[in-house]
Amino acid sequence: MFRIVGQILVKNGHAVQCDNFSDIYSLGEFKNAVKSLEALEPDEINIMDLDGNISLTLKDNLPVLKSLRLPVSVGGGVDLGEIHSYPVERYLINSLLFESDVSHRLDDFKQGRQSLIGYLPFKEVRGGFLYFNSTKGVFLEVGHRLLSKIFNICSEVIFLDTDHQGNLGRFNSRFPNSISREYLMRSYLSGGICPDNLSLFRRLGCAGVVLDNSSLYWQQKIYKR
Amino acid sequence: MRVSVIDLGIGNVLSVASWIKRCGFEANLIQDENWRSNTKSIIVLPGVGNSVSYMRALQNRPALYNAIQNGNYSQLVGICAGFQVLSSSVSEEGKTEQGLGKIEAHSKPIGQNTFHNGWETLTSSHFTVIEKRLNIRRKVYFNHGCGVYTTPSYNGLDDTNKLGFSNFIIEGNIIGLQFHPEKSGVFGEIIGRSILGV
């Protein structure tokens, strides 16, 4: 079940487009963007708030979110204690993954692990990969033990190539070889993915791709569920 | 028709309520405090949740729990985790709890660190007819780590997934759906109008 997730990046309440998370420009109202994306029928709609204000974005856009017929995942400052108050199904977490007492903190989490998606932006440094911790604002090494813990906490993980975010067809081809096949099967790849060449990613055996800056492709029928 | 959506503070309650409205019915969110037992309504148990936590939350709401156990509904619909708790027992994350016992089945993880996420075609011949007649795709959205496994003696209508768990169950006025009709596009609304309109 290879899945194509359409992602909407949000900044200051607007849908935005950007390259390497800089040169950000508005694509207009969030509600119009999300309805346009829904019309293309992606497997899932992902909403990522770059300001870390996802609760505010959800609160301000409740009517349009309630109208969505497709599964919705959200990220960017998710508060696991209040997320059930919104019409969303899955949640992206990052900073929690790096906390030592995460298992203990999730003891009271009632939404189930199937709703938790790890979000790991990465970059390549001297042949190795570092992963972004949004709380600290730095890229860190993630050893086998931490990666194993992350895949034990989350049902799936999104790996975002920050070096090539917004650069079509440039996704780092070395990255998939850096994680085991078992993990790859539960991973979405994102950042610099060219929608004209998805067969490459299907062959890898990953769970799917997340098309950030998906607004670029709204005129194309790529989401053929 | 009034539909009562059970709100335990778990799951995508708002998505389910919106789906019911899109299907043409009135949806009321029901907590323990505002449960009124004088009229029978369709009760919907929404999903997205840990089934053991879900069951414990239900047990801690005596008015709702008793209403369901006493059959005080015209129809009972469980979605995903809400379907799993209709079983005799639920197990998740190494914990086990007694279920509502509405169907002869047990709910348990579908595998170690195994999750079933994505869109699948329902194979039941009933849906093939709908697909042909309306020219729509009959794919539905799944997202779960546990499944409902009926006992060998179970004799209700059970559509079994190739992975062994039930996609859906229909037994009298009890309907369990492992997939999420509220997030299954137009086909999900056709299913909703069918099961809530009975």
Side-chain angles (χ1 to χ4, degrees):
Chain A
M1 286 198 284
F2 182 85
R3 279 147 276 157
I4 305 174
V5 177
Q7 185 178 57
I8 293 181
L9 301 173
V10 182
K11 190 152 185 65
N12 298 325
H14 286 260
V16 297
Q17 188 169 324
C18 57
D19 295 334
N20 293 326
F21 296 108
S22 58
D23 299 329
I24 296 172
Y25 59 91
S26 174
L27 290 169
E29 283 194 48
F30 170 84
K31 63 180 180 185
N32 295 336
V34 78
K35 289 305 282 183
S36 300
L37 183 56
E38 186 196 28
L40 293 178
E41 299 192 351
D43 288 314
E44 185 170 320
I45 294 172
N46 173 254
I47 301 162
M48 171 57 71
D49 193 308
L50 299 177
D51 300 317
N53 283 333
I54 191 65
S55 294
L56 189 63
T57 298
L58 298 176
K59 205 173 178 179
D60 287 348
N61 294 284
L62 263 183
V64 72
L65 292 166
K66 282 183 182 175
S67 75
L68 296 176
R69 295 175 162 117
L70 302 178
V72 177
S73 54
V74 295
V78 167
D79 178 349
L80 292 179
E82 63 152 31
I83 199 72
H84 70 270
S85 311
Y86 300 104
V88 297
E89 283 67 45
R90 305 216 290 167
Y91 330 113
L92 273 58
I93 55 172
N94 171 276
S95 48
L96 198 59
L97 302 173
F98 293 90
E99 292 181 16
S100 54
D101 65 341
V102 59
S103 301
H104 177 67
R105 284 189 57 185
L106 288 173
D107 273 352
D108 293 332
F109 182 59
K110 295 174 179 149
Q111 303 291 93
R113 270 202 300 152
Q114 81 287 340
S115 62
L116 283 181
I117 308 173
Y119 188 65
L120 285 178
F122 70 86
K123 69 174 181 179
E124 186 172 10
V125 177
R126 291 187 290 276
F129 293 95
L130 300 180
Y131 298 87
F132 190 64
N133 175 335
S134 60
T135 305
K136 293 183 176 171
V138 290
F139 284 86
L140 302 168
E141 261 188 66
V142 169
H144 290 296
R145 275 182 65 180
L146 181 55
L147 203 58
S148 167
K149 192 177 86 172
I150 289 169
F151 274 94
N152 270 322
I153 294 165
C154 304
S155 60
E156 296 176 315
V157 177
I158 296 172
F159 290 103
L160 167 68
D161 182 353
T162 60
D163 294 324
H164 301 106
Q165 192 266 338
N167 296 304
L168 293 188
R170 299 284 305 279
F171 183 86
N172 192 323
S173 59
R174 289 178 292 281
F175 178 77
N177 294 324
S178 72
I179 58 173
S180 71
R181 180 161 174 74
E182 179 198 348
Y183 291 159
L184 193 61
M185 284 168 62
R186 291 166 57 195
S187 299
Y188 292 86
L189 305 178
S190 181
I193 289 171
C194 179
D196 295 331
N197 201 12
L198 293 183
S199 56
L200 182 76
F201 296 94
R202 286 179 195 274
R203 283 198 299 271
L204 281 175
C206 59
V209 292
V210 177
L211 297 178
D212 56 340
N213 283 346
S214 52
S215 54
L216 285 171
Y217 322 121
W218 286 350
Q219 300 308 312
Q220 296 181 29
K221 265 281 181 190
I222 51 165
Y223 304 104
K224 288 174 184 166
R225 194 168 63 234
Chain B
M1 173 62 77
R2 175 173 158 243
V3 182
S4 300
V5 181
I6 302 300
D7 181 4
L8 303 172
I10 301 175
N12 63 344
V13 176
L14 285 183
S15 292
V16 170
S18 304
W19 164 68
I20 290 167
K21 286 176 190 166
R22 288 199 304 273
C23 292
F25 304 95
E26 185 191 340
N28 298 303
L29 296 189
I30 304 292
Q31 289 96 19
D32 206 43
E33 311 81 67
N34 62 355
W35 171 254
R36 300 284 176 270
S37 58
N38 51 353
T39 50
K40 280 192 177 182
S41 66
I42 295 176
I43 288 181
V44 175
L45 296 167
V48 183
N50 175 304
S51 55
V52 172
S53 300
Y54 197 103
M55 195 57 223
R56 288 176 181 170
L58 202 48
Q59 287 164 347
N60 288 331
R61 287 155 173 89
L64 291 176
Y65 181 79
N66 290 332
I68 295 169
Q69 287 299 43
N70 296 333
N72 194 4
Y73 47 78
S74 58
Q75 188 162 278
L76 179 62
V77 180
I79 298 171
C80 197
F83 170 33
Q84 290 160 14
V85 297
L86 301 179
S87 307
S88 308
S89 69
V90 290
S91 301
E92 192 161 351
E93 306 290 353
K95 296 171 186 162
T96 300
E97 195 61 64
Q98 196 172 9
L100 289 165
K102 296 288 179 183
I103 47 178
E104 282 181 50
H106 299 282
S107 171
K108 60 183 184 181
I110 56 178
Q112 192 181 2
N113 259 336
T114 306
F115 299 90
H116 180 236
N117 174 274
W119 294 77
E120 269 188 31
T121 303
L122 290 179
T123 51
S124 166
S125 56
H126 177 66
F127 291 115
T128 313
V129 173
I130 294 175
E131 182 180 48
K132 281 182 181 163
R133 193 173 281 182
L134 300 179
N135 191 28
I136 56 156
R137 285 171 293 182
R138 57 192 152 125
K139 284 195 170 181
V140 291
Y141 175 71
F142 288 88
N143 182 30
H144 58 117
C146 291
V148 172
Y149 297 83
T150 51
T151 60
S153 59
Y154 180 76
N155 58 9
L157 173 60
D158 176 10
D159 183 73
T160 306
N161 189 283
K162 58 185 181 238
L163 297 173
F165 56 80
S166 297
N167 286 329
F168 65 86
I169 275 174
I170 302 173
E171 187 181 341
N173 61 347
I174 294 172
I175 295 177
L177 310 170
Q178 185 55 68
F179 57 88
H180 289 270
E182 77 280 10
K183 289 292 167 177
S184 294
V186 175
F187 187 53
E189 286 167 22
I190 289 169
I191 292 172
R193 281 193 284 276
S194 170
I195 62 176
L196 300 173
V198 172

